[in-house]
Amino acid sequence: MDPLSRLTELFKQFPGIGPRQAKRFVYFLLTQNNFYRDNLTKLILDLKNSVAECATCHRFYIKDASKSSSCQICSDPHRDASQLLIVSRDVDFENIEKSRTYSGTYFILGGSVPILEKDPASKIRGDELLKLIEEKSATGLQEIILALNLTPEGENTEQYLISYLKPLTDTKNIKISTLGRGLSTGLELEYSDSETIKNALRNRH
Amino acid sequence: MDPLSRLTELFKQFPGIGPRQAKRFVYFLLTQNNFYRDNLTKLILDLKNSVAECATCHRFYIKDASKSSSCQICSDPHRDASQLLIVSRDVDFENIEKSRTYSGTYFILGGSVPILEKDPASKIRGDELLKLIEEKSATGLQEIILALNLTPEGENTEQYLISYLKPLTDTKNIKISTLGRGLSTGLELEYSDSETIKNALRNRH
Amino acid sequence: MDPLSRLTELFKQFPGIGPRQAKRFVYFLLTQNNFYRDNLTKLILDLKNSVAECATCHRFYIKDASKSSSCQICSDPHRDASQLLIVSRDVDFENIEKSRTYSGTYFILGGSVPILEKDPASKIRGDELLKLIEEKSATGLQEIILALNLTPEGENTEQYLISYLKPLTDTKNIKISTLGRGLSTGLELEYSDSETIKNALRNRH
Amino acid sequence: MDPLSRLTELFKQFPGIGPRQAKRFVYFLLTQNNFYRDNLTKLILDLKNSVAECATCHRFYIKDASKSSSCQICSDPHRDASQLLIVSRDVDFENIEKSRTYSGTYFILGGSVPILEKDPASKIRGDELLKLIEEKSATGLQEIILALNLTPEGENTEQYLISYLKPLTDTKNIKISTLGRGLSTGLELEYSDSETIKNALRNRH
């Protein structure tokens, strides 16, 4: 395979990119100057040096002068240590942090558990989570918030996590809570499913 | 204007129908047999006789032998008279009733209040609602549930209704509640807006 | 089934209308005044009296004082009798007539021939077309233009018609032509299929 | 700006990529192994060495052992030297070549001329084209085929090129032709615009 086709193949692995757009990326790069291409490749190669996975919450973070093995949030003494919010992926973390409504700590599962999955443990960072809860229980952890997609896979992950964590959280007297369900922004009642209506009615206030 | 164009114009007033589809409706009718067309027009003309607006909740309902001026739900002694759920339109009522999670009574506002509307009272059945609450307060009404779209117009209607009803409900000691907010079915955290995340966190349990 | 559900069922048979929109049509009609509903039903019922199928080209046309059994186009001595353009449906005829680029006469097939159809003759007005060509050949018909969709079903109909008409048109020395193929308005070469590029190159000028 | 944000900014310049997808690309790269990232950056950096712009037709092509300054098509003695097909971009060339219906030579304009453009010459390789036609006229060039999008900008480019080339092609007795217009694959007459119907009727055969 020639270099253009090989580069096209690599771009096809980017999330959401089909063969036609992958090829357009290649032509786009061909028409860019060296400065852009050098910048792009330098930044990609530097990811290894500039970004680390937090030893505590497992999210990717920009390394700084501190040489800490934990990210800025996990190292921040002002974050509320009594709460631990669990998400599937970094993008979920980012979106929640952007909403500026949560001041506790995080844990990134690194995935979710598909329905009928035979080996759920292989899909998420279960061991690391148990270990972290154990540690944090010694320093005031009171609540674990499961923040998962309201999709079949997200609900399955939630169920799995609840049974997985329960033995430990019961012992340590830590509450497990899940996100509130009901109407989300923009929703019209005419187009709401029965489950959402049920949740919205039950959680009325 | 010729009859085909006049009929096309009338179909263009149907919700969601543009000029091209309106014309296709006309050609569709031209190719149907007399039986279909007679049936269709008969049912349309019979709407006046077969359907009535309920004197209590103002929804459209199929008249029956009872000659009652109230719909089957308003006449049903098994519905919970302590709850009154308020919606904008008949389709909202239908969708909530379909979810089989509510056993109280209803009121159809007949519309909603657009933001910056100068004459909100003209947009909804405010007088009729006040009168109904007054009556129902004598027979056990304890809670009014505002079930409005989570859109700017729906939220505006909710705000308007709360101030409009408050003097009466305070006097009568009736609670006003609104639908729970949070994640609705299918929602992914990556694509959730900050408002929904805030609601989902606040209403966690 | 109650009258509202029966009316919803009839609207579901309208082209392109699903159950939800059918129901919205019913509620729309419920909120219209008598004047609108009377107008609508009157126009639908009058279709039988106000519209006729042309005995010559088989399109639907508005009857006029002339009591003619042929439509205004078929009766118009200024239309070019040497050309007969064949389309599947009235909407195709309308769109071509709207383009103001054709001054000959028309014939409406009333359908098209699906691929692998066992009884093609049952799908289109074949006998009527043969009879019309026979008649028109006596009054100067020189060209039959097949104006069919460039879809698999349209191309199949075209092939079927060519073999069906050939014995007669060869005898009468009438030319059969098909619409030009190539780039249509808005098309970008990047997104063109090979067949269209082939046609566009072959038909360059 | 941190390295992740800077990389996100670069991906936002990729064709068709918004801020959210740019960020997903960054997270995608973070979760890939070194092998993938090294491969990707190596191929991007090698573009400069592995790909050249053809000195004749100006398309990008994979360099080979021949050290030729012209691409494989321009160097191929079996391509028909009597035809020169002119396209805006490499993707247009690729799509036409993929259709296997053209055996002549190509020229890539490198862009198109927007309507009301004040400096059309700056948008396309006009000088290079004139020079190439001059040369090719000595070796048998008989026809220039303008293969441009059937969009307002494509049609404007076509008009500009015709006046731009005419003095030379008239002198050299070279024909300028444009792609055929009419129905393109999948088109239905009901949804065709008048211009396309006019072209399809005019180019019938």
Side-chain angles (χ1 to χ4, degrees):
Chain A
M1 204 155 46
D2 68 74
L4 291 193
S5 303
R6 273 154 59 203
L7 185 51
T8 304
E9 284 305 307
L10 290 186
F11 279 135
K12 272 167 65 181
Q13 298 182 39
F14 273 44
I17 299 306
R20 201 190 290 268
Q21 206 170 3
K23 178 162 288 173
R24 296 181 77 199
F25 285 2
V26 175
Y27 280 116
F28 165 76
L29 289 177
L30 280 168
T31 57
Q32 297 305 300
N33 53 30
N34 283 342
F35 180 72
Y36 179 93
R37 292 195 298 229
D38 289 349
N39 242 326
L40 180 69
T41 50
K42 198 169 162 313
L43 282 166
I44 292 174
L45 289 174
D46 271 4
L47 286 177
K48 202 169 42 184
N49 306 315
S50 61
V51 176
E53 187 181 306
C54 173
T56 310
C57 73
H58 292 277
R59 77 176 181 93
F60 291 111
Y61 71 105
I62 314 286
K63 288 195 233 175
D64 57 20
S66 73
K67 306 278 175 199
S68 162
S69 67
S70 282
C71 75
Q72 293 80 355
I73 289 183
C74 287
S75 317
D76 182 351
H78 301 298
R79 302 293 298 211
D80 184 346
S82 73
Q83 293 184 319
L84 178 65
L85 188 141
I86 297 177
V87 294
S88 281
R89 305 189 172 283
D90 285 78
V91 284
D92 301 331
F93 151 77
E94 278 213 29
N95 207 17
I96 289 172
E97 191 66 10
K98 206 179 71 184
S99 77
R100 298 172 171 275
T101 49
Y102 175 71
S103 57
T105 59
Y106 292 93
F107 183 84
I108 317 284
L109 287 173
S112 52
V113 181
I115 289 173
L116 300 179
E117 170 64 38
K118 293 218 178 91
D119 184 12
S122 70
K123 292 296 183 178
I124 58 174
R125 299 189 181 102
D127 290 345
E128 293 90 329
L129 178 55
L130 280 187
K131 200 168 140 279
L132 181 66
I133 293 172
E134 185 94 39
E135 285 170 22
K136 281 181 170 281
S137 71
T139 56
L141 179 62
Q142 291 170 20
E143 178 182 10
I144 290 170
I145 304 168
L146 304 180
L148 298 156
N149 294 337
L150 195 33
T151 57
E153 183 160 330
E155 294 196 77
N156 191 51
T157 308
E158 190 176 294
Q159 285 315 307
Y160 172 76
L161 276 176
I162 289 173
S163 7
Y164 184 78
L165 299 178
K166 208 115 190 57
L168 177 61
T169 54
D170 280 355
T171 313
K172 302 291 183 182
N173 206 21
I174 295 166
K175 182 189 171 195
I176 298 181
S177 62
T178 55
L179 292 185
R181 297 173 179 198
L183 302 187
S184 55
T185 308
L187 204 70
E188 302 184 36
L189 283 163
E190 180 181 354
Y191 303 110
S192 304
D193 63 302
S194 292
E195 195 62 25
T196 294
I197 289 176
K198 194 170 85 184
N199 289 327
L201 275 168
R202 181 192 293 149
N203 300 329
R204 72 182 186 275
H205 53 90
Chain B
M1 205 155 44
D2 68 74
L4 290 193
S5 304
R6 273 156 60 203
L7 185 51
T8 304
E9 284 305 308
L10 290 186
F11 279 134
K12 273 168 63 182
Q13 298 182 40
F14 273 45
I17 298 306
R20 201 189 290 269
Q21 206 170 1
K23 178 162 289 173
R24 295 180 78 198
F25 285 1
V26 174
Y27 281 116
F28 165 76
L29 289 176
L30 280 168
T31 56
Q32 297 305 300
N33 54 29
N34 283 341
F35 180 71
Y36 179 92
R37 291 196 299 231
D38 289 350
N39 241 327
L40 180 71
T41 49
K42 199 168 161 313
L43 281 165
I44 292 174
L45 290 174
D46 271 4
L47 285 178
K48 205 170 37 184
N49 305 316
S50 61
V51 175
E53 186 182 308
C54 172
T56 310
C57 73
H58 293 277
R59 77 177 181 93
F60 291 110
Y61 72 104
I62 314 286
K63 288 195 232 175
D64 58 18
S66 73
K67 306 281 175 197
S68 162
S69 67
S70 282
C71 76
Q72 292 80 355
I73 290 183
C74 288
S75 317
D76 181 352
H78 302 297
R79 303 293 298 212
D80 183 346
S82 73
Q83 292 183 320
L84 179 65
L85 188 141
I86 298 177
V87 295
S88 281
R89 303 189 173 285
D90 286 77
V91 283
D92 301 331
F93 150 78
E94 278 213 29
N95 207 16
I96 290 172
E97 191 66 11
K98 208 179 71 184
S99 77
R100 297 170 170 277
T101 48
Y102 176 72
S103 57
T105 59
Y106 292 92
F107 183 84
I108 318 283
L109 287 173
S112 52
V113 181
I115 289 173
L116 299 179
E117 169 66 37
K118 294 222 177 89
D119 184 14
S122 70
K123 292 295 182 178
I124 58 175
R125 299 189 181 101
D127 290 346
E128 292 90 331
L129 178 56
L130 280 187
K131 200 167 140 279
L132 182 66
I133 293 171
E134 185 92 41
E135 285 170 23
K136 280 180 170 280
S137 71
T139 56
L141 179 63
Q142 291 170 22
E143 178 182 9
I144 290 170
I145 304 167
L146 304 181
L148 298 156
N149 294 337
L150 195 34
T151 58
E153 184 159 330
E155 294 196 77
N156 190 52
T157 308
E158 189 175 295
Q159 286 314 308
Y160 173 78
L161 276 177
I162 289 173
S163 7
Y164 184 79
L165 299 179
K166 209 116 190 54
L168 177 61
T169 54
D170 280 356
T171 313
K172 302 292 185 182
N173 207 20
I174 295 166
K175 182 188 171 195
I176 298 181
S177 61
T178 56
L179 292 185
R181 297 174 179 198
L183 302 186
S184 54
T185 308
L187 204 70
E188 302 184 34
L189 283 163
E190 179 181 354
Y191 303 110
S192 304
D193 63 303
S194 292
E195 195 61 26
T196 294
I197 289 176
K198 195 171 83 184
N199 289 327
L201 274 168
R202 181 191 295 149
N203 300 328
R204 72 181 185 276
H205 52 93
Chain C
M1 203 155 45
D2 68 72
L4 290 192
S5 304
R6 273 155 58 204
L7 186 51
T8 303
E9 284 305 307
L10 289 186
F11 279 135
K12 272 168 64 182
Q13 298 182 40
F14 273 43
I17 299 306
R20 201 188 289 268
Q21 205 169 2
K23 179 164 287 173
R24 297 182 76 200
F25 285 0
V26 174
Y27 279 116
F28 166 76
L29 288 176
L30 280 167
T31 57
Q32 297 304 300
N33 54 28
N34 283 341
F35 180 71
Y36 179 93
R37 292 196 296 230
D38 289 349
N39 242 327
L40 180 70
T41 49
K42 199 168 160 314
L43 281 166
I44 292 173
L45 290 173
D46 272 2
L47 285 178
K48 204 170 40 183
N49 306 314
S50 61
V51 175
E53 187 182 308
C54 173
T56 309
C57 73
H58 292 276
R59 76 177 183 92
F60 292 111
Y61 72 104
I62 314 288
K63 288 195 232 175
D64 57 20
S66 74
K67 306 280 176 198
S68 162
S69 68
S70 282
C71 75
Q72 292 81 353
I73 289 183
C74 287
S75 316
D76 182 350
H78 300 299
R79 303 292 298 213
D80 184 347
S82 72
Q83 293 183 319
L84 179 66
L85 189 142
I86 298 177
V87 294
S88 280
R89 303 187 174 284
D90 286 78
V91 283
D92 301 331
F93 151 78
E94 278 213 29
N95 208 16
I96 291 173
E97 191 65 11
K98 208 179 70 182
S99 75
R100 297 172 172 276
T101 50
Y102 176 71
S103 58
T105 59
Y106 292 91
F107 183 84
I108 317 286
L109 287 173
S112 52
V113 181
I115 289 173
L116 299 179
E117 169 65 38
K118 293 220 180 92
D119 184 12
S122 70
K123 292 296 183 176
I124 57 175
R125 298 188 182 104
D127 290 346
E128 292 90 330
L129 177 56
L130 280 187
K131 199 168 141 279
L132 182 65
I133 293 172
E134 185 94 42
E135 284 170 24
K136 280 183 171 277
S137 71
T139 57
L141 179 62
Q142 291 170 19
E143 180 182 8
I144 289 170
I145 304 168
L146 304 180
L148 298 156
N149 293 337
L150 195 34
T151 57
E153 183 159 331
E155 294 196 75
N156 191 51
T157 309
E158 189 175 294
Q159 287 314 308
Y160 173 76
L161 276 177
I162 288 173
S163 7
Y164 184 77
L165 299 179
K166 208 120 190 51
L168 177 61
T169 54
D170 280 355
T171 312
K172 301 290 185 183
N173 206 21
I174 296 167
K175 184 189 168 193
I176 298 181
S177 61
T178 56
L179 291 185
R181 296 174 178 197
L183 303 186
S184 54
T185 306
L187 203 71
E188 302 185 33
L189 282 163
E190 181 181 353
Y191 303 109
S192 303
D193 63 303
S194 292
E195 195 61 25
T196 294
I197 289 176
K198 194 170 84 183
N199 290 326
L201 275 169
R202 182 192 292 150
N203 300 329
R204 73 183 185 276
H205 53 89
Chain D
M1 203 156 42
D2 68 72
L4 290 192
S5 304
R6 273 157 58 205
L7 185 52
T8 305
E9 284 306 306
L10 290 186
F11 279 135
K12 272 168 63 181
Q13 298 182 41
F14 273 43
I17 298 307
R20 200 188 290 269
Q21 206 169 2
K23 178 164 287 173
R24 297 181 76 200
F25 285 0
V26 174
Y27 280 117
F28 165 76
L29 288 177
L30 281 167
T31 55
Q32 297 305 299
N33 54 28
N34 283 341
F35 180 72
Y36 179 93
R37 292 197 297 230
D38 289 349
N39 242 328
L40 179 70
T41 49
K42 198 167 161 316
L43 280 167
I44 293 174
L45 289 174
D46 270 3
L47 285 178
K48 203 169 41 184
N49 306 314
S50 61
V51 176
E53 187 182 308
C54 173
T56 309
C57 74
H58 293 276
R59 74 179 183 92
F60 292 110
Y61 72 104
I62 314 288
K63 287 195 233 176
D64 57 22
S66 73
K67 306 281 177 197
S68 161
S69 67
S70 280
C71 75
Q72 292 80 355
I73 290 182
C74 287
S75 317
D76 182 350
H78 301 299
R79 302 292 299 212
D80 184 347
S82 73
Q83 292 183 320
L84 179 65
L85 188 142
I86 297 176
V87 294
S88 281
R89 305 188 173 284
D90 285 78
V91 283
D92 301 331
F93 151 78
E94 278 212 29
N95 208 17
I96 290 173
E97 191 65 11
K98 207 179 71 184
S99 77
R100 297 171 173 275
T101 50
Y102 176 71
S103 57
T105 59
Y106 291 92
F107 183 84
I108 316 286
L109 287 173
S112 52
V113 181
I115 288 173
L116 299 179
E117 169 65 37
K118 293 220 180 91
D119 184 13
S122 70
K123 292 296 183 176
I124 57 175
R125 299 188 181 103
D127 290 346
E128 293 90 330
L129 178 55
L130 280 187
K131 198 166 142 282
L132 181 66
I133 293 172
E134 186 93 41
E135 285 170 23
K136 280 181 171 277
S137 70
T139 56
L141 179 63
Q142 291 170 19
E143 180 181 8
I144 290 169
I145 304 168
L146 304 180
L148 299 156
N149 294 337
L150 196 34
T151 58
E153 184 159 330
E155 294 197 75
N156 191 51
T157 308
E158 189 175 294
Q159 286 314 307
Y160 173 76
L161 277 178
I162 289 174
S163 6
Y164 184 77
L165 298 179
K166 208 116 190 54
L168 177 60
T169 53
D170 280 356
T171 311
K172 301 291 185 182
N173 207 21
I174 295 166
K175 184 189 169 193
I176 298 180
S177 61
T178 55
L179 292 185
R181 297 174 177 196
L183 303 186
S184 54
T185 307
L187 204 71
E188 302 184 33
L189 283 163
E190 180 181 352
Y191 303 110
S192 304
D193 64 302
S194 292
E195 195 61 24
T196 293
I197 289 176
K198 194 170 83 184
N199 290 326
L201 275 169
R202 182 192 291 148
N203 299 329
R204 73 183 185 275
H205 53 89

mmCIF file of all heavy atoms in Angstrom, chain A residues 17 26 30 41 47 51 56 66 68 71 76 83 89 107 124 133 145 151 167 196 199 204:
data_model
loop_
_atom_site.group_PDB
_atom_site.id
_atom_site.type_symbol
_atom_site.label_atom_id
_atom_site.label_comp_id
_atom_site.label_asym_id
_atom_site.label_seq_id
_atom_site.Cartn_x
_atom_site.Cartn_y
_atom_site.Cartn_z
ATOM 1 N N ILE A 17 -14.931 8.800 11.538
ATOM 2 C CA ILE A 17 -14.369 9.167 10.234
ATOM 3 C C ILE A 17 -14.466 8.010 9.245
ATOM 4 O O ILE A 17 -13.945 6.927 9.499
ATOM 5 C CB ILE A 17 -12.896 9.607 10.394
ATOM 6 C CG1 ILE A 17 -12.830 10.828 11.305
ATOM 7 C CG2 ILE A 17 -12.260 9.925 9.044
ATOM 8 C CD1 ILE A 17 -13.715 11.986 10.858
ATOM 9 N N VAL A 26 -6.135 13.636 4.233
ATOM 10 C CA VAL A 26 -4.819 13.500 3.598
ATOM 11 C C VAL A 26 -4.582 14.652 2.619
ATOM 12 O O VAL A 26 -3.531 15.300 2.648
ATOM 13 C CB VAL A 26 -4.707 12.135 2.890
ATOM 14 C CG1 VAL A 26 -3.398 12.051 2.122
ATOM 15 C CG2 VAL A 26 -4.802 11.008 3.907
ATOM 16 N N LEU A 30 -1.767 17.615 2.653
ATOM 17 C CA LEU A 30 -0.869 17.860 1.515
ATOM 18 C C LEU A 30 -0.825 19.340 1.159
ATOM 19 O O LEU A 30 0.206 19.849 0.697
ATOM 20 C CB LEU A 30 -1.339 17.053 0.300
ATOM 21 C CG LEU A 30 -0.960 15.576 0.294
ATOM 22 C CD1 LEU A 30 -1.717 14.820 -0.783
ATOM 23 C CD2 LEU A 30 0.546 15.433 0.084
ATOM 24 N N THR A 41 2.475 17.082 14.103
ATOM 25 C CA THR A 41 3.166 15.847 14.479
ATOM 26 C C THR A 41 3.914 16.019 15.796
ATOM 27 O O THR A 41 3.946 15.108 16.616
ATOM 28 C CB THR A 41 4.144 15.412 13.366
ATOM 29 O OG1 THR A 41 4.961 16.527 13.008
ATOM 30 C CG2 THR A 41 3.382 14.946 12.148
ATOM 31 N N LEU A 47 2.448 14.092 23.170
ATOM 32 C CA LEU A 47 1.375 13.670 24.076
ATOM 33 C C LEU A 47 1.954 12.795 25.186
ATOM 34 O O LEU A 47 1.598 12.935 26.356
ATOM 35 C CB LEU A 47 0.300 12.886 23.310
ATOM 36 C CG LEU A 47 -0.641 13.703 22.410
ATOM 37 C CD1 LEU A 47 -1.592 12.782 21.669
ATOM 38 C CD2 LEU A 47 -1.428 14.729 23.230
ATOM 39 N N VAL A 51 1.369 14.696 28.594
ATOM 40 C CA VAL A 51 0.133 14.236 29.226
ATOM 41 C C VAL A 51 0.407 12.967 30.024
ATOM 42 O O VAL A 51 1.174 12.114 29.582
ATOM 43 C CB VAL A 51 -0.949 13.957 28.156
ATOM 44 C CG1 VAL A 51 -2.201 13.380 28.788
ATOM 45 C CG2 VAL A 51 -1.269 15.231 27.399
ATOM 46 N N THR A 56 -4.489 8.463 40.506
ATOM 47 C CA THR A 56 -5.637 8.379 41.416
ATOM 48 C C THR A 56 -6.958 8.203 40.657
ATOM 49 O O THR A 56 -7.659 7.217 40.824
ATOM 50 C CB THR A 56 -5.701 9.631 42.309
ATOM 51 O OG1 THR A 56 -4.422 9.846 42.886
ATOM 52 C CG2 THR A 56 -6.752 9.471 43.400
ATOM 53 N N SER A 66 5.070 20.211 39.049
ATOM 54 C CA SER A 66 4.983 19.578 40.365
ATOM 55 C C SER A 66 5.516 18.135 40.400
ATOM 56 O O SER A 66 5.759 17.593 41.458
ATOM 57 C CB SER A 66 3.536 19.575 40.838
ATOM 58 O OG SER A 66 2.799 18.632 40.111
ATOM 59 N N SER A 68 4.007 15.669 40.298
ATOM 60 C CA SER A 68 3.056 14.821 41.023
ATOM 61 C C SER A 68 2.552 13.714 40.112
ATOM 62 O O SER A 68 2.435 13.896 38.898
ATOM 63 C CB SER A 68 1.892 15.687 41.504
ATOM 64 O OG SER A 68 0.781 14.876 41.823
ATOM 65 N N CYS A 71 -3.383 14.125 39.249
ATOM 66 C CA CYS A 71 -3.770 15.292 38.472
ATOM 67 C C CYS A 71 -4.068 16.476 39.391
ATOM 68 O O CYS A 71 -4.124 16.337 40.618
ATOM 69 C CB CYS A 71 -4.985 14.975 37.618
ATOM 70 S SG CYS A 71 -6.533 14.897 38.531
ATOM 71 N N ASP A 76 -5.793 18.756 44.594
ATOM 72 C CA ASP A 76 -6.339 20.026 45.092
ATOM 73 C C ASP A 76 -7.000 19.813 46.464
ATOM 74 O O ASP A 76 -8.027 19.135 46.555
ATOM 75 C CB ASP A 76 -7.358 20.548 44.067
ATOM 76 C CG ASP A 76 -7.934 21.885 44.486
ATOM 77 O OD1 ASP A 76 -7.701 22.347 45.629
ATOM 78 O OD2 ASP A 76 -8.651 22.479 43.651
ATOM 79 N N GLN A 83 -16.979 13.276 48.523
ATOM 80 C CA GLN A 83 -17.729 12.806 47.347
ATOM 81 C C GLN A 83 -16.793 12.269 46.266
ATOM 82 O O GLN A 83 -15.770 12.894 45.953
ATOM 83 C CB GLN A 83 -18.533 13.967 46.747
ATOM 84 C CG GLN A 83 -19.664 14.455 47.647
ATOM 85 C CD GLN A 83 -20.471 15.533 46.962
ATOM 86 O OE1 GLN A 83 -19.899 16.405 46.307
ATOM 87 N NE2 GLN A 83 -21.782 15.487 47.117
ATOM 88 N N ARG A 89 -15.828 7.944 30.870
ATOM 89 C CA ARG A 89 -14.732 8.430 30.029
ATOM 90 C C ARG A 89 -14.338 9.866 30.367
ATOM 91 O O ARG A 89 -15.091 10.607 30.995
ATOM 92 C CB ARG A 89 -15.143 8.393 28.555
ATOM 93 C CG ARG A 89 -15.602 7.020 28.130
ATOM 94 C CD ARG A 89 -15.799 6.905 26.647
ATOM 95 N NE ARG A 89 -16.055 5.499 26.327
ATOM 96 C CZ ARG A 89 -15.101 4.574 26.274
ATOM 97 N NH1 ARG A 89 -13.835 4.902 26.491
ATOM 98 N NH2 ARG A 89 -15.403 3.319 26.015
ATOM 99 N N PHE A 107 -13.516 9.641 39.426
ATOM 100 C CA PHE A 107 -12.822 8.426 39.003
ATOM 101 C C PHE A 107 -13.303 8.071 37.594
ATOM 102 O O PHE A 107 -14.515 8.069 37.329
ATOM 103 C CB PHE A 107 -13.108 7.260 39.958
ATOM 104 C CG PHE A 107 -12.352 6.008 39.600
ATOM 105 C CD1 PHE A 107 -11.039 5.825 40.025
ATOM 106 C CD2 PHE A 107 -12.938 5.025 38.808
ATOM 107 C CE1 PHE A 107 -10.331 4.684 39.683
ATOM 108 C CE2 PHE A 107 -12.229 3.875 38.467
ATOM 109 C CZ PHE A 107 -10.923 3.710 38.908
ATOM 110 N N ILE A 124 -13.782 -2.309 32.645
ATOM 111 C CA ILE A 124 -13.649 -1.106 33.453
ATOM 112 C C ILE A 124 -12.564 -1.302 34.514
ATOM 113 O O ILE A 124 -12.151 -2.433 34.781
ATOM 114 C CB ILE A 124 -14.993 -0.746 34.137
ATOM 115 C CG1 ILE A 124 -15.467 -1.916 35.008
ATOM 116 C CG2 ILE A 124 -16.053 -0.390 33.104
ATOM 117 C CD1 ILE A 124 -16.695 -1.597 35.810
ATOM 118 N N ILE A 133 -11.506 3.517 46.764
ATOM 119 C CA ILE A 133 -12.568 3.718 47.747
ATOM 120 C C ILE A 133 -12.062 3.346 49.147
ATOM 121 O O ILE A 133 -12.306 4.056 50.128
ATOM 122 C CB ILE A 133 -13.820 2.889 47.372
ATOM 123 C CG1 ILE A 133 -14.441 3.448 46.073
ATOM 124 C CG2 ILE A 133 -14.848 2.894 48.498
ATOM 125 C CD1 ILE A 133 -15.556 2.602 45.496
ATOM 126 N N ILE A 145 -21.039 8.821 43.661
ATOM 127 C CA ILE A 145 -22.083 9.203 42.706
ATOM 128 C C ILE A 145 -21.799 8.531 41.379
ATOM 129 O O ILE A 145 -20.773 8.795 40.748
ATOM 130 C CB ILE A 145 -22.121 10.733 42.508
ATOM 131 C CG1 ILE A 145 -22.301 11.440 43.854
ATOM 132 C CG2 ILE A 145 -23.227 11.122 41.538
ATOM 133 C CD1 ILE A 145 -22.047 12.950 43.784
ATOM 134 N N THR A 151 -28.413 5.175 28.934
ATOM 135 C CA THR A 151 -28.589 4.273 27.801
ATOM 136 C C THR A 151 -28.581 2.856 28.351
ATOM 137 O O THR A 151 -28.199 2.641 29.502
ATOM 138 C CB THR A 151 -27.407 4.402 26.823
ATOM 139 O OG1 THR A 151 -26.189 4.127 27.555
ATOM 140 C CG2 THR A 151 -27.314 5.813 26.261
ATOM 141 N N PRO A 167 -20.611 -4.591 48.703
ATOM 142 C CA PRO A 167 -19.968 -5.201 49.883
ATOM 143 C C PRO A 167 -19.031 -4.221 50.585
ATOM 144 O O PRO A 167 -19.072 -4.088 51.821
ATOM 145 C CB PRO A 167 -19.185 -6.374 49.272
ATOM 146 C CG PRO A 167 -19.885 -6.704 47.997
ATOM 147 C CD PRO A 167 -20.437 -5.408 47.485
ATOM 148 N N THR A 196 -39.317 8.202 30.906
ATOM 149 C CA THR A 196 -38.954 9.561 31.309
ATOM 150 C C THR A 196 -40.117 10.246 32.021
ATOM 151 O O THR A 196 -39.930 10.945 33.024
ATOM 152 C CB THR A 196 -38.504 10.372 30.078
ATOM 153 O OG1 THR A 196 -37.292 9.802 29.575
ATOM 154 C CG2 THR A 196 -38.259 11.831 30.427
ATOM 155 N N ASN A 199 -40.274 8.870 35.508
ATOM 156 C CA ASN A 199 -39.225 9.453 36.347
ATOM 157 C C ASN A 199 -39.523 10.912 36.699
ATOM 158 O O ASN A 199 -39.284 11.349 37.822
ATOM 159 C CB ASN A 199 -37.873 9.365 35.635
ATOM 160 C CG ASN A 199 -37.342 7.950 35.563
ATOM 161 O OD1 ASN A 199 -37.571 7.151 36.470
ATOM 162 N ND2 ASN A 199 -36.656 7.617 34.479
ATOM 163 N N ARG A 204 -40.846 14.669 40.967
ATOM 164 C CA ARG A 204 -41.373 16.039 40.989
ATOM 165 C C ARG A 204 -41.141 16.642 42.362
ATOM 166 O O ARG A 204 -40.992 15.926 43.353
ATOM 167 C CB ARG A 204 -42.858 16.043 40.640
ATOM 168 C CG ARG A 204 -43.758 15.490 41.717
ATOM 169 C CD ARG A 204 -45.201 15.497 41.243
ATOM 170 N NE ARG A 204 -46.118 15.103 42.300
ATOM 171 C CZ ARG A 204 -46.424 13.840 42.596
ATOM 172 N NH1 ARG A 204 -45.882 12.845 41.927
ATOM 173 N NH2 ARG A 204 -47.274 13.586 43.589
#
